[in-house]
Amino acid sequence: MTRYLLLPMQPTPNGTLHLGHIAGPYLRADILARALRRQGDEVSVICGADVYENWIQLPALRSNVSPETLCRNNGNAIHEDLRSMGIGVESWIDPLGEVDSGAYAALHNELLDRGVRGGGLFLKSERIPYAENTGRAVTGVWLLGRCPGCGLPAGGNCCENCGFHYQPDQILDPRSRLDEGRLIWREERSWFARADDPARIESRLSRLTGSPVFRDLAIRYLRSTGAEVRLTAPGDWGVANRIDGNGAVVCNTFFAYCVYCGEHFARLTGRPNPLREGADRDTQVVALAGVDNLVAALITPLVLSGCLPGTRGFDRVILNRFLLLDGAKFSTSRRHGIWVSDVAANKAISTDELRLFLSSLSLGEDEVNFDVAALIQFVNWHRRRLGSRIAEGEMEIRDIPAGAILQMLKGRGIPVQYAAVEDIRPDALLAAYLAWLSNDDVRRSDPALWRAALAFLVEPLAPLLAAELRSGRKGEEGILIRAGRDLVDADLRSIVHLQQEN
């Protein structure tokens, strides 16, 4: 038995969740947690809203509400979106909420203070663009230009096209997103961390990710930046820097957020925070993120755990490229996507069916297109296949221990136990489930065993279907009740948004 703490990237509450978000770290974390528990491991999943990401300022401005109000409304909606997709978390972090706000800010300043006092950080002067008319620091959400890596239009500090990360003075043809006049460049000092031995950081990447694609992208960034990580920044939104005046806000790094999640884990389980140095390393920490957060999830923790006394890094990082819709990236700002709230309100398709289809897409090192026609074809094939098998075998229910099912499946060569978390791939789990669905020998000789094993295999992917199979009752939100109906394009027309305008 192994203990795991799974930490999917905290979603930014600049809007609610669409399937592009779900298909990445959130569904992967939930499937991974369920599969690990199925093989007898202990798993905690902790997540929360990234309220101090400065990208939330733009939708707040456009909606004429405060960032706090936007974060509260969207943060609650995001938590509900996860629940409606069957994605469970043991603890939900709200850095602006009554429970977390004080402790969250205090931990960020504690880590900054540790780094400053321990000599692990250094002050760096940099050129920061300010808007002439408003005096706003034009960084993050406010900064537009072209990526210095690929030359295509980009903004903030990361190119969505090639994944390259950059500092404000590196972006080409910089300008403000708003009509704020020309840019005035000023020298500012902020705290940074730097790896003493970048080559050692590069060598450790292979222990964190098995993907050569993401490893090479990380190495490219390390060599272009000197393995530097920002700890403070100019700005007016974020955790206030209480240590000194070098950078108005403490950067809300994913690593510091995860250390805070570790505090929640310690309270929940009575075990030490696994991201604190000195704790027994009996809990494996796995971070999950999209490629746009490669630096935050893969590089920054390696650098910071070596520069902030009393901390330690992740054991494994699982990354994914973007999910596309109609050939373009899902986008909140362009309203291009399929939103979870619309899916939850649509009675023609179940969330389990979407989980199964998303599992088939093998989102990983490559971008994958979400094709609505392929979704309809998959759902209808699965409904007919499952409906015919259940109708033939019908509903003999027998309580069979999970251990017995596991041993039986192992004896038949069906993978149900895994040594490495990367091996627990949604598409592989789906293939095992579909193969068993077509196993006529066991279905005819022992229908109850076949059905129990089917529930066992599908549970990580489609938990509502697993409950239906175990109970023999068709749930209102489940698949079995829909098995006699075909899904048609008109059923989904209202939830697929292809608008491209800004």
Side-chain angles (χ1 to χ4, degrees):
M1 188 275 292
T2 305
R3 294 184 182 87
Y4 290 94
L5 172 58
L6 306 186
L7 298 170
M9 177 61 64
Q10 73 268 48
T12 302
N14 60 333
T16 56
L17 298 184
H18 50 60
L19 293 188
H21 297 123
I22 293 296
Y26 308 113
L27 183 59
R28 183 71 180 267
D30 187 71
I31 290 173
L32 180 57
R34 292 175 186 274
L36 289 169
R37 291 179 187 129
R38 187 180 68 178
Q39 67 183 32
D41 295 318
E42 291 184 8
V43 186
S44 297
V45 183
I46 297 180
C47 193
D50 185 11
V51 299
Y52 290 124
E53 167 58 64
N54 88 334
W55 286 85
I56 64 97
Q57 292 177 283
L58 182 62
L61 179 68
R62 287 173 171 171
S63 302
N64 197 30
V65 299
S66 69
E68 292 87 350
T69 297
L70 185 83
C71 288
R72 181 172 60 252
N73 294 341
N74 285 340
N76 291 336
I78 286 170
H79 196 190
E80 180 56 36
D81 285 343
L82 293 173
R83 282 196 295 261
S84 70
M85 288 297 297
I87 297 171
V89 296
E90 276 62 51
S91 189
W92 177 257
I93 309 296
D94 178 6
L96 291 175
E98 184 178 346
V99 172
D100 294 307
S101 59
Y104 191 84
L107 182 135
H108 280 68
N109 276 282
E110 173 215 328
L111 294 179
L112 176 62
D113 188 50
R114 282 174 178 262
V116 171
R117 290 177 181 275
L121 308 183
F122 68 97
L123 283 171
K124 178 182 177 181
S125 293
E126 55 184 338
R127 296 173 67 242
I128 299 294
Y130 283 82
E132 183 179 37
N133 295 345
T134 64
R136 187 198 312 273
V138 182
T139 59
V141 66
W142 309 119
L143 182 61
L144 294 177
R146 292 186 297 111
C147 172
C150 68
L152 292 178
N157 62 359
C158 174
C159 177
E160 290 190 353
N161 176 66
C162 71
F164 188 73
H165 288 68
Y166 40 79
Q167 298 300 334
D169 61 354
Q170 293 177 307
I171 195 169
L172 306 177
D173 302 328
R175 68 186 189 280
S176 172
R177 185 183 293 271
L178 306 178
D179 184 13
E180 302 180 286
R182 66 191 182 97
L183 297 184
I184 307 296
W185 293 84
R186 301 178 190 167
E187 288 287 329
E188 300 270 359
R189 292 210 308 171
S190 295
W191 286 107
F192 282 75
R194 181 193 292 124
D196 290 335
D197 185 357
R200 181 170 170 268
I201 295 290
E202 290 186 16
S203 68
R204 292 179 63 191
L205 286 171
S206 60
R207 292 167 47 194
L208 287 178
T209 175
S211 165
V213 172
F214 295 133
R215 189 164 60 247
D216 289 348
L217 191 58
I219 290 172
R220 179 184 171 199
Y221 174 83
L222 284 167
R223 292 177 179 175
S224 68
T225 64
E228 290 182 0
V229 173
R230 176 187 295 277
L231 266 294
T232 63
D236 55 7
W237 178 249
V239 175
N241 177 359
R242 304 296 186 194
I243 306 305
D244 63 12
N246 293 300
V249 297
V250 181
C251 293
N252 183 42
T253 64
F254 179 58
F255 180 64
Y257 154 84
C258 288
V259 175
Y260 185 77
C261 289
E263 300 295 313
H264 270 247
F265 170 83
R267 289 195 293 273
L268 286 169
T269 64
R271 308 197 67 79
N273 182 342
L275 293 176
R276 292 283 197 183
E277 197 172 55
D280 293 335
R281 204 56 184 258
D282 62 350
T283 301
Q284 297 290 299
V285 181
V286 181
L288 303 97
V291 68
D292 54 333
N293 284 301
L294 178 143
V295 171
L298 192 58
I299 297 174
T300 301
L302 276 175
V303 175
L304 291 185
S305 60
C307 297
L308 301 179
T311 63
R312 62 202 311 178
F314 303 141
D315 295 289
R316 214 67 178 161
V317 177
I318 297 175
L319 297 161
N320 63 267
R321 290 278 189 184
F322 295 127
L323 184 68
L324 309 180
L325 176 64
D326 198 36
K329 179 179 173 288
F330 278 70
S331 171
T332 296
S333 61
R334 291 184 290 109
R335 289 297 297 172
H336 179 77
I338 301 172
W339 269 260
V340 173
S341 56
D342 292 337
V343 169
N346 186 295
K347 301 303 179 184
I349 187 170
S350 77
T351 55
D352 265 6
E353 288 174 318
L354 275 167
R355 286 174 61 114
L356 288 170
F357 180 70
L358 290 172
S359 297
S360 75
L361 298 181
S362 304
L363 195 62
E365 293 180 347
D366 299 313
E367 291 181 338
V368 178
N369 193 56
F370 184 103
D371 184 84
V372 175
L375 166 67
I376 292 171
Q377 182 181 24
F378 173 85
V379 166
N380 289 336
W381 175 86
H382 180 251
R383 285 180 182 181
R384 293 168 191 158
R385 191 71 167 171
L386 181 65
S388 67
R389 290 298 192 265
I390 297 299
E392 290 175 26
E394 269 318 324
M395 297 276 206
E396 181 190 345
I397 305 299
R398 193 164 79 240
D399 187 20
I400 303 174
I405 297 172
L406 187 146
Q407 292 304 318
M408 182 273 293
L409 292 171
K410 284 177 61 179
R412 292 175 172 269
I414 296 175
V416 286
Q417 285 188 306
Y418 304 87
V421 290
E422 294 95 334
D423 295 337
I424 305 178
R425 297 191 344 264
D427 59 327
L429 297 179
L430 179 64
Y433 158 69
L434 295 178
W436 187 257
L437 180 61
S438 299
N439 188 315
D440 289 333
D441 292 341
V442 178
R443 181 176 59 83
R444 289 171 179 152
S445 62
D446 193 340
L449 176 62
W450 174 83
R451 187 187 184 89
L454 193 67
F456 182 90
L457 288 169
V458 81
E459 199 278 334
L461 306 168
L464 293 178
L465 174 58
E468 288 183 293
L469 292 168
R470 290 189 179 108
S471 69
R473 294 188 296 273
K474 298 179 180 180
E476 195 171 309
E477 303 299 324
I479 295 177
L480 291 179
I481 201 170
R482 295 171 170 81
R485 313 173 200 163
D486 268 0
L487 187 68
V488 297
D489 183 70
D491 293 330
L492 304 179
R493 201 166 293 148
S494 65
I495 69 172
V496 179
H497 303 276
L498 299 179
Q499 289 89 341
Q500 300 290 323
E501 64 270 11
N502 289 319

